[in-house]
Amino acid sequence: MDDFDLLLALGAFALVASITPGPNNLMLMASAANFGLRRSLPHILGVALGFVAMIVLVGLGAMRAFEAWPGLRVALTWVGTAYLVWLAWKIARAAPPAPDAAPGRPMTFWQAAAFQWVNPKGWTMSLAALTLYAPGQEIAGVLLVAAAFAAVSLPATGLWTVLGTRIRRVLTRPERLRLFNRTMAVLLLGSLVPVFLH
């Protein structure tokens, strides 16, 4: 495989991994539907930059820890799963705000960046990308994988967030917003299925 084919394959992998439904994209769509695009921008940036940072750190060291202690990955998957179940519960129970209530808060930049470390799909994607496209974990290969995800992450997550803002226009009635949040919670739980099948 020459360099161009490798870059094309890596770009396609990063795009598919970033744009398919998963915890990040579903939570961004729910955030935009509940809080709007502007208030969800820190969440978008936290996902994009947090995941790129995770790829670099995993590629430069954490993969070796997983090779040395295989149980570490299993433990991390269960911690991430428990956290996602809790998030799904919070989303499902989110009630439409009362007219006189203080507005809720979307995820902050740092919360979204930290979430990448407990996101089972994020771990699966980063480990697969690094194994396929930077198998020797050389710095140049790891940075290339990170750059590919950096290039596609913002447009991919932005698309889901814009979709959430479009859905927001339909969610003007409290019962519709409740139904939407419960549907997002179920889809968030469903996004864990491929992790466990893998």
Side-chain angles (χ1 to χ4, degrees), residues 4-196:
F4 179 75
D5 289 340
L6 179 70
L7 283 174
L8 200 59
L10 173 57
F13 180 91
L15 180 62
V16 169
S18 298
I19 207 164
T20 51
N24 281 321
N25 290 333
L26 294 171
M27 287 170 30
L28 280 167
M29 187 166 69
S31 178
N34 284 278
F35 305 112
L37 179 62
R38 189 181 60 78
R39 292 185 66 201
S40 298
L41 284 175
H43 189 167
I44 296 171
L45 293 173
V47 167
L49 299 177
F51 187 67
V52 168
M54 178 184 169
I55 287 174
V56 171
L57 294 173
V58 168
L60 297 181
M63 280 184 75
R64 289 178 182 85
F66 286 132
E67 289 164 4
W69 301 292
L72 186 60
R73 184 173 179 191
V74 174
L76 192 58
T77 299
W78 283 107
V79 168
T81 298
Y83 183 67
L84 281 173
V85 168
W86 178 78
L87 278 176
W89 174 253
K90 295 277 285 178
I91 291 170
R93 294 189 41 85
D100 57 345
R105 294 179 325 161
M107 241 188 206
T108 67
F109 172 87
W110 293 111
Q111 288 170 330
F115 172 72
Q116 303 318 301
W117 293 93
V118 294
N119 178 358
K121 183 186 176 191
W123 277 102
T124 302
M125 288 182 346
S126 63
L127 291 172
L130 289 164
T131 301
L132 291 170
Y133 299 102
Q137 291 143 37
E138 303 91 359
I139 292 175
V142 170
L143 293 178
L144 181 65
V145 172
F149 275 92
V152 301
S153 184
L154 278 175
T157 55
L159 182 67
W160 282 87
T161 312
V162 168
L163 181 59
T165 62
R166 299 291 181 243
I167 290 171
R168 185 178 190 182
R169 296 175 182 171
V170 179
L171 304 178
T172 53
R173 293 168 51 185
E175 61 273 12
R176 288 182 185 169
L177 185 58
R178 265 192 222 96
L179 178 61
F180 173 79
N181 285 338
R182 289 174 184 164
T183 302
M184 288 296 98
V186 169
L187 291 174
L188 186 57
L189 292 175
S191 73
L192 292 170
V193 172
V195 172
F196 287 100

